[in-house]
């Protein structure tokens, strides 16, 4: 489809102006009523060749984020370093938001309007055959030695076995978890529980989410199959297993055809709770679900936060008198209920009938605390101790010229700008309250582009658009914005570089590090001590770029990414250690190339093991072979201030490198565990001799 045809289709889909304006007027916040808010993925394989095999499977049709050229309110960011400029309001307070969604009738109209602004086009995500197949028979577990004198609840403290997370004290869901004594490994629709005991590592039990009481707990109409385990979370003696149930979109079936493909929608994500106080005998506790596909799971102070994205995939089937046809539902075992209307907040510029559904669950009691649904969706999530931030990308928004000028983008055309919509949900002991919303130019690279510090949200985007001088030139550049609690922009650096895109971001207290790339890698060090006047301290330009940054020690920043020639041609992977002791003169202390083609860790920080106590860095890598497949290995590097990087080991992974699963490395005491859905291999951390291997797949 060429651009002209695409544009014509978009124009034809534009809703009637009178109807659109009337509904927008109903949804637009009432300034007179404004008040100060009260505080109230089995994951898709990381190897590209997996897509080819999966193409024969059933597919999940996801809607494209096609906008309709509407104006967007922005917290107009001032140029830095001039004195702060008071921005135009662009927030939605709880009173405003809840006033717009006080009843299902108003919400029905909002969803219907959003569906008119949404047009399906060919954007397919393959489904996993193993996830949608009939429930497999329970896998027999061989007889195992007794747990012995070791207390099943004991936790070893020596190790680097916690999931590599963004925010200290906030855990993130992953496919492998450990408490220092046991390993919990997702394998298809099962979870294997292993005793992490070095050379004596062994399987203790197996949880099968596709059979038994967990499989009977789905309470959504039309579910035809359950996907693989999407995430695990561990708190005290409670294991949370996240799975997704899929429903067929029968509304797209042809009247008569010998065969057809039926799209599958993620209907429900369920948190299955198990008591693992005795790891050899896990006990099912409960199932708590919510509509949509899993976006992320986080854990803070014993409260599990789940965010899903739910698509109302059959707008024609919506019924005003049946809320379950146009709002998300929550479930508790076999019981289900529509999310109450006051807890469903339509944002003013939802570009489709999609919700971001956020829930909080008290893992001590196993009960749901609260649920908030935001009509507008979310692809990126950031959680702090006080707030949950939802970010959604709109690729076809329209900004006024005044807004573009205020955002430092006055040289770009008004239409077809990429905008990130933000919503801040306040946290109060698990209670969720939407407290502010706003939009900023550009698109986030990932969750690390968001960070909260001293009541301010700092974020970095890649701003892109066409020059308004008639040249047709497309402009791409990184930008940084600082927002206050009401999500009003108080400071900005709208033009960090020219014709470059953001590759990675890491905020560390009052300093931010941003990597952008076109031909060379500028690593910007940015002073954010004064939120109203961010300023670039230094910009280190070296070949290549880092896609992941990790504070290693005081004055040291580790980078994992790609090497490149002087003209920007990517040549392979590399490790970098940056000296940040003088933010005015950041330097690259040492670097080392990696002789493999790609790594899961380039896109998923949870695949990186950073063990500063032992000076170890580990991550999986892949090398393409002549047959079109890939060989997977796990690399372990050491870092020393004098010697720099050194490769310590190249380790095989379960499945002989053919696995397309996520691969994780964990150190417990003096053993390194390399785990995937196919198995776990155990190595000695001194000489990396193999100590044990447990087959799972």
């Amino acid at each position: 489809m060429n651009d002209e045809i695409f544009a014509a289709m978009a124009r034809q889909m534009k809703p009637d102006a009178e109807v659109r304006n009337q509904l927008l007027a109903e949804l637009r916040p009432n300034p007179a009523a404004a008040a100060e808010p009260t505080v109230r993925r089995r994951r898709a394989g990381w190897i590209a060749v997996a897509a080819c095999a999966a193409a024969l499977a059933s597919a999940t049709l996801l809607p494209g984020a096609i906008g309709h050229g509407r104006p967007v309110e922005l917290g107009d960011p001032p140029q830095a370093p001039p004195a702060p400029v008071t921005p135009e309001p662009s927030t939605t307070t709880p009173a405003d938001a809840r006033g717009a969604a006080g009843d299902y009738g108003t919400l029905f109209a909002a969803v219907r309007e959003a569906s008119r602004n949404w047009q399906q086009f060919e954007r397919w995500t393959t489904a996993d055959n193993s996830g949608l197949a009939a429930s497999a028979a329970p896998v027999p577990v061989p007889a195992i030695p007794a747990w012995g004198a070791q207390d099943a609840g004991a936790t070893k403290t020596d190790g680097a076995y916690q999931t590599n997370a963004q925010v200290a004290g906030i855990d993130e869901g992953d496919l492998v978890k450990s408490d220092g004594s046991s390993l919990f490994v997702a394998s298809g629709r099962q979870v294997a529980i292993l005793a992490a005991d070095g050379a004596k590592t062994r399987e203790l039990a197996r949880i099968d989410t596709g059979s038994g009481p967990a499989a009977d707990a789905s309470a959504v109409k039309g579910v035809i199959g359950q996907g693989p385990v999407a995430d695990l979370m561990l708190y005290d003696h409670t294991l949370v297993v996240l799975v997704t149930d899929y429903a067929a979109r029968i509304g797209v079936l042809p009247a008569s055809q010998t065969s057809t493909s039926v799209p599958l929608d993620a209907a429900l994500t369920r948190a299955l709770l198990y008591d693992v106080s005795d790891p050899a005998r896990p006990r099912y506790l409960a199932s708590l679900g919510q509509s949509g596909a899993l976006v992320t799971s986080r854990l803070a102070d014993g409260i599990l936060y789940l965010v899903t994205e739910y698509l109302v995939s059959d707008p024609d089937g919506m019924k005003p008198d049946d809320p379950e046809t146009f709002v998300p539902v929550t479930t508790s075992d076999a019981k289900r209920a529509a999310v109450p209307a006051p807890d469903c907040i339509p944002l003013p510029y939802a570009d489709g009938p999609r919700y971001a559904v956020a829930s909080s669950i008290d893992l001590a009691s196993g009960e749901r605390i609260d649920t908030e649904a935001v009509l507008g969706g979310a692809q990126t999530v950031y959680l702090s101790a006080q707030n949950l931030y939802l970010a959604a990308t709109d690729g076809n928004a329209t900004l006024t010229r005044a807004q573009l000028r205020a955002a430092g983008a006055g040289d770009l055309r008004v239409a077809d700008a990429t905008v990130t919509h933000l919503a801040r949900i306040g946290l109060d002991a698990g209670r969720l309250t939407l407290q502010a919303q706003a939009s900023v130019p550009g698109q986030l690279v990932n969750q690390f582009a968001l960070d909260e510090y001293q009541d301010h949200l700092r974020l970095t985007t890649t701003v892109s658009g066409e020059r308004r001088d008639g040249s047709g030139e497309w402009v791409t550049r990184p930008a940084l914005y600082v927002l206050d609690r009401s999500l009003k922009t108080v400071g900005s650096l709208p033009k960090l570089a020219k014709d470059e895109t953001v590759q990675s971001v890491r905020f560390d207290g009052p300093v931010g590090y941003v990597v952008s790339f076109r031909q060379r890698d500028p690593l910007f060090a940015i002073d954010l001590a004064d939120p109203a006047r961010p300023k670039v301290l230094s910009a280190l330009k070296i070949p290549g770029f880092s896609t992941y940054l990790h504070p290693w020690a005081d004055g040291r920043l580790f980078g994992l990414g790609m090497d490149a020639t002087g003209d920007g041609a990517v040549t392979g992977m590399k490790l970098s250690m940056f000296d940040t002791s003088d933010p005015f003169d950041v330097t690259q202390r040492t670097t080392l190339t990696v002789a493999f083609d790609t790594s899961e860790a380039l896109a998923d920080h949870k695949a990186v093991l950073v063990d500063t106590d032992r000076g170890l860095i580990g991550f999986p890598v892949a090398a393409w072979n002549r047959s079109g497949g890939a060989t997977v290995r796990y690399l372990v590097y050491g870092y020393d201030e004098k010697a720099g990087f050194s490769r310590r080991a190249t380790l095989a992974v379960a499945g002989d490198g053919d696995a397309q699963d996520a691969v994780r490395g964990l150190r417990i005491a003096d053993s390194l565990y390399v785990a995937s859905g196919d198995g776990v291999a155990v190595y000695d951390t001194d000489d990396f001799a193999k100590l044990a291997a447990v087959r799972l797949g």
Side-chain angles (χ1 to χ4, degrees):
M1 181 181 299
N2 61 37
D3 293 341
E4 289 76 17
I5 296 176
F6 192 92
M9 293 175 62
R11 286 193 296 270
Q12 293 172 10
M13 292 296 292
K14 185 175 182 178
D16 179 81
E18 182 178 353
V19 174
R20 173 174 158 270
N21 291 336
Q22 179 180 353
L23 284 170
L24 286 177
E26 294 176 359
L27 296 175
R28 186 170 292 116
N30 178 10
E36 180 65 19
T38 55
V39 179
R40 266 261 295 137
R41 330 165 261 93
R42 187 146 156 137
R43 190 162 297 153
W46 57 279
I47 301 175
V49 295
C52 299
L56 300 177
S58 300
T60 303
L61 182 62
L62 298 178
I66 300 181
H68 65 287
R70 60 202 177 284
V72 174
E73 294 182 359
L74 290 175
D76 296 338
Q79 297 277 353
V85 177
T86 302
E88 297 177 3
S90 63
T91 62
T92 300
T93 66
D96 297 328
R98 295 186 183 280
D103 60 82
Y104 284 125
T106 302
L107 191 59
F108 176 83
V111 178
R112 183 173 58 184
E113 172 67 8
S115 67
R116 289 172 179 168
N117 301 334
W118 166 64
Q119 174 188 350
Q120 294 183 9
F121 68 98
E122 294 178 350
R123 178 181 171 190
W124 295 78
T125 300
T126 56
D128 190 327
N129 269 332
S130 63
L132 299 179
S135 296
V139 177
V141 178
I144 57 177
W147 186 241
Q150 183 180 18
D151 179 14
T155 300
K156 298 184 178 73
T157 57
D158 176 26
Y161 50 82
Q162 300 294 336
T163 298
N164 184 22
Q166 178 182 7
V167 180
I170 297 179
D171 199 5
E172 300 182 19
D174 200 8
L175 296 178
V176 179
K177 286 289 180 180
S178 177
D179 59 4
S181 296
S182 303
L183 287 178
F184 303 86
V185 184
S187 180
R189 288 190 292 178
Q190 299 179 340
V191 179
I193 305 177
L194 288 77
D197 195 15
K200 298 179 181 179
T201 296
R202 59 202 180 275
E203 185 172 343
L204 298 173
R206 187 82 64 109
I207 295 172
D208 187 356
T209 65
S211 63
D216 298 334
S218 184
V220 172
K221 301 175 183 178
V223 168
I224 65 170
Q226 175 193 307
V229 173
D231 253 347
L232 300 174
M233 192 69 81
L234 185 63
Y235 173 71
D236 197 12
H237 295 309
T238 300
L239 176 70
V240 182
V241 183
L242 298 172
V243 298
T244 302
D245 295 333
Y246 291 88
R249 194 183 301 177
I250 59 177
V252 302
L253 292 176
S256 178
Q257 192 167 311
T258 56
S259 63
T260 187
S261 296
V262 180
L264 299 174
D265 291 314
L268 187 73
T269 292
R270 290 183 291 141
L272 309 177
L273 276 54
Y274 293 87
D275 179 352
V276 291
S277 55
D278 181 354
R281 296 172 178 81
R283 181 170 61 89
Y284 173 78
L285 298 175
S287 170
L288 299 171
Q290 62 193 59
S291 295
L294 179 67
V295 176
T296 190
S297 60
R298 307 288 169 89
L299 176 67
D301 296 327
I303 298 175
L304 177 69
Y305 295 92
L306 293 182
V307 178
T308 58
E309 189 169 58
Y310 171 60
L311 168 70
V312 181
S313 60
D314 185 16
D316 293 335
M318 296 192 310
K319 302 176 182 178
D321 58 350
D322 185 0
E324 291 188 16
T325 64
F326 59 89
V327 301
V329 301
T330 59
T331 67
S332 178
D333 288 317
K335 300 176 182 179
R336 74 173 186 274
V339 176
D343 294 328
C344 295
I345 314 300
L347 294 185
Y349 305 110
D351 71 338
R354 73 186 80 244
Y355 290 87
V357 186
S359 286
S360 53
I361 299 171
D362 182 354
L363 293 184
S365 65
E367 296 182 354
R368 186 188 307 273
I369 301 173
D370 204 358
T371 298
E372 194 96 329
V374 177
L375 181 61
Q379 297 84 45
T380 308
V381 174
Y382 174 81
L383 183 74
S384 71
Q386 294 82 29
N387 296 290
L388 172 66
Y389 294 91
L390 306 176
T393 300
D394 185 347
N396 194 29
T398 295
L399 311 180
T400 67
R401 290 183 62 181
Q403 290 170 335
L404 286 172
R405 284 195 299 268
D411 56 333
L412 304 183
R413 289 182 63 233
V414 169
D416 303 327
T418 298
V419 169
T420 294
H421 303 299
L422 300 166
R424 180 175 71 85
I425 296 177
L427 309 179
D428 181 12
R431 293 292 173 185
L432 310 174
T433 304
L434 180 66
Q435 295 187 328
Q437 68 87 18
S439 301
V440 296
Q443 182 173 358
L444 303 171
V445 63
N446 54 35
Q447 69 186 58
F448 287 90
L450 295 164
D451 181 79
E452 184 183 84
Y453 181 71
Q454 295 183 346
D455 291 331
H456 286 83
L457 177 69
R458 299 92 62 86
L459 68 153
T460 302
T461 66
T462 296
V463 177
S464 58
E466 184 180 334
R467 288 194 182 278
R468 58 182 302 270
D469 58 7
S471 65
E473 180 183 358
W474 190 261
V475 176
T476 302
R477 58 192 176 223
L480 179 140
Y481 303 98
V482 183
L483 285 62
D484 64 13
R485 285 178 55 82
S486 61
L487 295 186
K488 295 178 181 178
T489 305
V490 297
S492 69
L493 292 171
K495 298 178 182 179
L496 274 175
K498 181 180 179 182
D499 295 332
E500 294 182 354
T501 59
V502 175
Q503 299 295 324
S504 60
V505 185
R506 195 71 189 234
F507 293 96
D508 189 8
V511 179
Y513 299 98
V514 179
V515 172
S516 63
F517 179 74
R518 184 185 182 190
Q519 292 183 332
R520 299 179 69 83
D521 170 1
L523 170 61
F524 296 98
I526 302 171
D527 179 6
L528 296 164
D530 183 351
R533 293 178 174 82
K535 57 184 177 181
V536 174
L537 300 176
S538 62
L540 171 66
K541 291 193 175 184
I542 55 176
F545 55 90
S546 298
T547 62
Y548 176 66
L549 298 172
H550 190 107
W552 177 266
D554 288 343
R556 296 292 181 266
L557 182 69
F558 166 68
L560 173 65
M562 304 299 291
D563 201 3
T565 63
D567 59 1
V570 175
T571 58
M573 296 176 58
K574 72 169 183 177
L575 308 177
S576 298
M577 187 65 73
F578 300 101
D579 184 344
T580 60
S581 57
D582 181 1
F584 291 94
D585 185 24
V586 174
T587 61
Q588 181 174 256
R589 185 176 180 85
T590 185
T591 185
L592 182 67
T593 58
V594 178
F596 282 83
D597 297 316
T598 188
S599 171
E600 176 189 8
L602 294 172
D604 189 348
H605 61 282
K606 289 178 280 190
V608 184
L609 168 66
V610 179
D611 184 358
T612 56
D613 290 341
R614 298 288 180 95
L616 297 178
I617 298 166
F619 51 91
V621 292
W624 309 118
N625 54 44
R626 294 181 179 179
S627 64
T631 299
V632 180
R633 294 291 183 264
Y634 193 85
L635 300 185
V636 181
Y637 288 87
Y639 176 76
D640 179 82
E641 277 292 291
K642 294 181 178 179
F645 294 110
S646 61
R647 186 186 294 191
R648 298 284 306 278
T650 301
L651 307 175
V653 300
D656 196 26
D658 232 1
Q660 296 170 356
D661 296 329
V663 179
R664 299 289 183 263
L666 309 86
R667 182 183 66 82
I668 301 175
D670 295 323
S671 298
L672 174 69
Y673 299 80
V674 178
S676 73
D678 283 328
V680 177
V682 188
Y683 300 91
D684 186 285
T685 55
D686 288 331
D687 57 7
F688 292 96
K690 180 179 273 190
L691 302 177
V694 180
R695 186 75 179 177
L696 300 181

